[in-house]
Amino acid sequence: MSHVQLRPRAPLAPGARGLLARLDRLDRTPYALAVAALLVAVVAVRLWSVSRWTWVDDDWIYLERAGSTGLGPYLVQNYNGHLMPGEFLVVWLLTRLAPLAFLPAVALVALTAAGSAALWCRALAELVGPRLRVPALVALMTLSPLLLRPTMWFASALQVLPLQLCTALVVLFAARVARRGERADHLGLVLSFVLGLLFWQKALLLLVPVTAVLVFTSGDRFRVTVRRHLGVVAVLGGVTAAYLALYLWLTAVDPGQRDMRASLAADRSVGDAVTVFARAAGDLLLPGLLGGPWGTMPVEGDKGARPPLAVLLVCAVLVAGTVAVLAARRRRAWQPLAMVVVHAAVSWSLVLFSNRFDMLGPEAINDERYHADVLTVAVLALAMLSTPTVAEDPAGAWRRPWPAWSGSGRLRVVAVGVLVLSLVVGNVSALVRIGTHPGKAWLAHVRTTLPEGEVDLVDAYAPDDVLSAAFWARSARVSAMLAPLGDRLDFAGTGSPLHVVAPDGRVRTARVDPAVRAEPGPVAGCGYAVGPATPSRVPLTGELFDYDWAVQVDTVAGSSGRLVVELDGQDLELEVPRGLGAVQVAFTGPVTEAVLRVPPGEPTLCVAGLVVGPVRPAG
């Protein structure tokens, strides 16, 4: 019988032993594993969805202003009635660190979404304990299809995600204040509220869940709760008053300018309110509470999409039935329900009385970013209704006990499975409808084909599917969109050769497509001999209206010099090389006549040809 001698295993290095020790201490309870799985899912979904898009709409204005405005004025600018210094600081930093790169934005959105989910697990665990239903509720909140477009659009993500994250923070600290009331908890609550206000003035609505959690967790009447926590209530009231004064001052407009803030003076009827609230609740919130909508998400080209009536009725019955059952059994159920009603009423009224409603009517409420915060508060209410708080006696939380079958593990597994399936169907169907943004490929081509060093680019409007000139006007011009790339891009249109951004985003050498030409010149072998004392009036084959054009002049010169092309009184100066040259310059204006001349002291040169027309990509 042979014997195999085993070699003793080499001892682990101290660092490896420490890593294994930390891994052994990791929480492997079902709750911890469920939270970890949730965070992985949130990161994966956000990386997948956001990477399908690029900078869109207001993003381009944010990026341009980040480079053309001083930091202070940029942070406190009045942007369509919004005050968002935190959001603008993030954009300013991204513009400085990685101009026009969208990958850092994708990573930031994914990490912020995961941070929000983690904080919500912690907040609900503080409120109702670390139960397995907590990750399921947070999944409903953070993986809802209602968050797809609001997080894919970066400007919106910088409003929606910080507000969701700060809501988790204020709930966490409010629950601690109600139970312990330590100074650190009071400070955390106030700072979380201030952080939310830095990103969006809508964070003022955080006072609603804060009040509800304080009252519900303490178990006292509203007046008693206010007296007990008078110090932190007074500080929050002072912060609110100071912020409102600052907001009204910084967003004020001069007489005659359009005020973009919500105004209760706006002419709205009861019918308008009923329509907006019914659409908000029926089309988006109720399906959202069940993991939807499923295939009816409003998207570009179908912004008026609505679920079928049958789906609306089923969602209404399921949600109303669940709420009715919980409200009938849960003591003080009216408090979380009132929290949702008040928050939703104020949030949706901001849209109803906004300038956006003036332009779009009831369809203004179809934008999902106006529902993300309401969904968050509704899921918080669901947690408060379905689970006793850690401060309550579990038996005393219910008016009557639940039947034994309601606590079945098999039933809970089925419920979680249905929720996961609903979220998967809702997200996949919504992503198919949303698609990949055309601007993604356009910007990628710009960045990869842009020549190194200084580049002379002809300014023009971007394709409409990248940024619509009809709506965004000057902001849709390439010079504004590529402004974060700095001074190495020259849009004066005087360099040679000129470059142009093709419709697909590729940067190519420009050619002038002849719309009109100069008639042949009188000097054989030269065309038009132009010197300081001999300007030449050039007859053209036609006329052009006032628009964006370019002129190309073919020259023959014994030495380098300058040539001035005068088109209808507009002087265009070109640098002429020695020998044969084809120099270009872009301009805006009409073309009915042309005069050629050289400045005093410059050598005489020959102009063999001249064409004027639109700029096209060469090749």
Side-chain angles (χ1 to χ4, degrees):
M1 182 175 180
S2 62
H3 296 275
V4 178
Q5 184 175 5
L6 298 177
R7 180 181 299 177
R9 188 171 58 182
L12 292 174
R17 289 199 300 269
L19 176 61
L20 289 176
R22 286 193 293 273
L23 290 175
D24 286 338
R25 290 196 297 269
L26 285 178
D27 189 352
R28 295 191 181 92
T29 62
Y31 173 79
L33 294 175
V35 170
L38 169 64
L39 298 183
V40 170
V42 169
V43 170
V45 169
R46 294 293 161 246
L47 288 176
W48 176 42
S49 60
V50 182
S51 63
R52 293 162 62 89
W53 266 30
T54 184
W55 310 113
V56 297
D57 297 344
D58 302 79
D59 296 344
W60 291 109
I61 299 179
Y62 289 10
L63 295 170
E64 180 196 3
R65 291 184 182 178
S68 61
T69 310
L71 179 59
Y74 179 70
L75 296 182
V76 297
Q77 64 178 297
N78 172 15
Y79 190 83
N80 293 339
H82 296 303
L83 183 61
M84 308 173 291
E87 177 170 353
F88 289 130
L89 178 60
V90 172
V91 176
W92 187 86
L93 289 172
L94 284 178
T95 304
R96 292 298 184 279
L97 297 174
L100 290 186
F102 194 64
L103 184 58
V106 174
L108 180 62
V109 169
L111 291 176
T112 306
S116 176
L119 282 172
W120 265 110
C121 289
R122 187 69 190 90
L124 292 185
E126 185 74 30
L127 186 63
V128 301
R131 304 167 183 261
L132 277 175
R133 71 187 62 178
V134 165
L137 290 169
V138 176
L140 181 61
M141 179 193 303
T142 58
L143 289 174
S144 169
L146 292 178
L147 286 178
L148 280 176
R149 280 204 311 167
T151 54
M152 294 166 74
W153 175 17
F154 191 63
S156 171
L158 290 180
Q159 294 176 326
V160 169
L161 290 178
L163 181 59
Q164 186 186 73
L165 186 149
C166 289
T167 308
L169 284 173
V170 297
V171 168
L172 171 65
F173 287 112
R176 289 179 176 177
V177 166
R179 290 174 54 206
R180 303 182 308 206
E182 296 180 359
R183 181 175 299 178
D185 301 326
H186 290 82
L187 180 62
L189 177 57
V190 173
L191 292 179
S192 300
F193 182 51
V194 171
L195 178 64
L197 292 174
L198 289 175
F199 280 87
W200 197 6
Q201 72 272 8
K202 199 176 184 181
L204 287 169
L205 289 179
L206 292 177
L207 294 175
V208 177
V210 166
T211 303
V213 170
L214 283 175
V215 174
F216 192 75
T217 305
S218 65
D220 297 323
R221 294 179 180 273
F222 176 78
R223 192 172 300 175
V224 175
T225 303
V226 171
R227 283 202 301 266
R228 175 179 295 178
H229 305 292
L230 187 59
V232 72
V233 169
V235 174
L236 290 175
V239 170
T240 300
Y243 179 83
L244 281 173
L246 184 65
Y247 170 78
L248 293 174
W249 175 51
L250 291 175
T251 59
V253 297
D254 296 329
Q257 291 183 320
R258 194 172 193 177
D259 193 345
M260 300 293 287
R261 298 174 297 189
S263 172
L264 293 176
D267 184 18
R268 301 291 185 265
S269 66
V270 174
D272 291 333
V274 170
T275 301
V276 166
F277 285 18
R279 284 196 176 188
D283 294 1
L284 294 171
L285 180 61
L286 294 182
L289 287 170
L290 298 173
W294 311 273
T296 57
M297 188 74 72
V299 295
E300 199 68 36
D302 191 17
K303 293 186 176 180
R306 305 189 64 189
L309 180 60
V311 173
L312 290 176
L313 292 176
V314 170
C315 290
V317 169
L318 288 175
V319 173
T322 302
V323 171
V325 169
L326 291 172
R329 292 181 176 273
R330 186 72 164 97
R331 296 186 187 279
R332 298 179 294 120
W334 69 271
Q335 293 175 356
L337 292 177
M339 172 183 69
V340 177
V341 170
V342 171
H343 189 102
V346 177
S347 181
W348 294 338
S349 293
L350 291 174
V351 180
L352 175 64
F353 290 95
S354 70
N355 179 268
R356 183 177 177 84
F357 186 91
D358 293 331
M359 296 185 293
L360 300 177
E363 285 192 7
I365 201 66
N366 283 12
D367 195 325
E368 307 94 288
R369 61 193 165 120
Y370 299 133
H371 305 274
D373 59 314
V374 182
L375 177 67
T376 297
V377 173
V379 174
L380 170 62
L382 187 59
M384 297 163 72
L385 287 170
S386 63
T387 314
T389 67
V390 295
E392 288 181 293
D393 175 13
W398 309 106
R399 290 191 174 93
R400 55 182 182 273
W402 288 89
W405 58 264
S406 65
S408 166
R410 184 175 299 176
L411 181 62
R412 293 177 180 177
V413 169
V414 170
V416 171
V418 171
L419 173 61
V420 170
L421 178 62
S422 178
L423 288 172
V424 169
V425 172
N427 278 281
V428 171
S429 61
L431 276 173
V432 170
R433 286 171 58 78
I434 294 170
T436 301
H437 198 281
K440 176 182 174 66
W442 184 86
L443 181 59
H445 289 155
V446 170
R447 291 173 56 83
T448 55
T449 61
L450 195 64
E452 295 292 334
E454 295 185 359
V455 183
D456 293 287
L457 277 171
V458 177
D459 201 6
Y461 287 104
D464 282 341
D465 58 359
V466 175
L467 193 62
S468 171
F471 186 85
W472 296 100
R474 193 197 68 83
S475 296
R477 292 187 75 83
V478 174
S479 58
M481 298 172 71
L482 302 186
L485 296 180
D487 295 337
R488 79 183 190 91
L489 303 185
D490 186 354
F491 289 92
T494 57
S496 205
L498 294 175
H499 292 80
V500 63
V501 179
D504 63 359
R506 289 181 170 85
V507 179
R508 299 178 179 173
T509 304
R511 66 175 177 84
V512 180
D513 195 5
V516 298
R517 297 175 179 271
E519 297 286 0
V523 181
C526 177
Y528 296 90
V530 186
T534 56
S536 297
R537 183 173 298 275
V538 178
L540 303 174
T541 58
E543 298 181 352
L544 298 176
F545 53 86
D546 191 346
Y547 194 62
D548 293 337
W549 308 107
V551 58
Q552 178 171 313
V553 183
D554 298 325
T555 60
V556 180
S559 61
S560 59
R562 290 178 296 160
L563 171 68
V564 176
V565 180
E566 180 185 337
L567 298 173
D568 288 62
Q570 181 177 184
D571 286 350
L572 307 173
E573 187 169 299
L574 300 89
E575 297 289 334
V576 176
R578 180 183 177 185
L580 298 176
V583 291
Q584 302 166 327
V585 61
F587 68 98
T588 301
V591 179
T592 60
E593 59 180 11
V595 177
L596 304 175
R597 67 176 189 272
V598 298
E602 296 289 335
T604 299
L605 53 85
C606 292
V607 173
L610 180 150
V611 297
V612 184
V615 177
R616 308 287 189 214

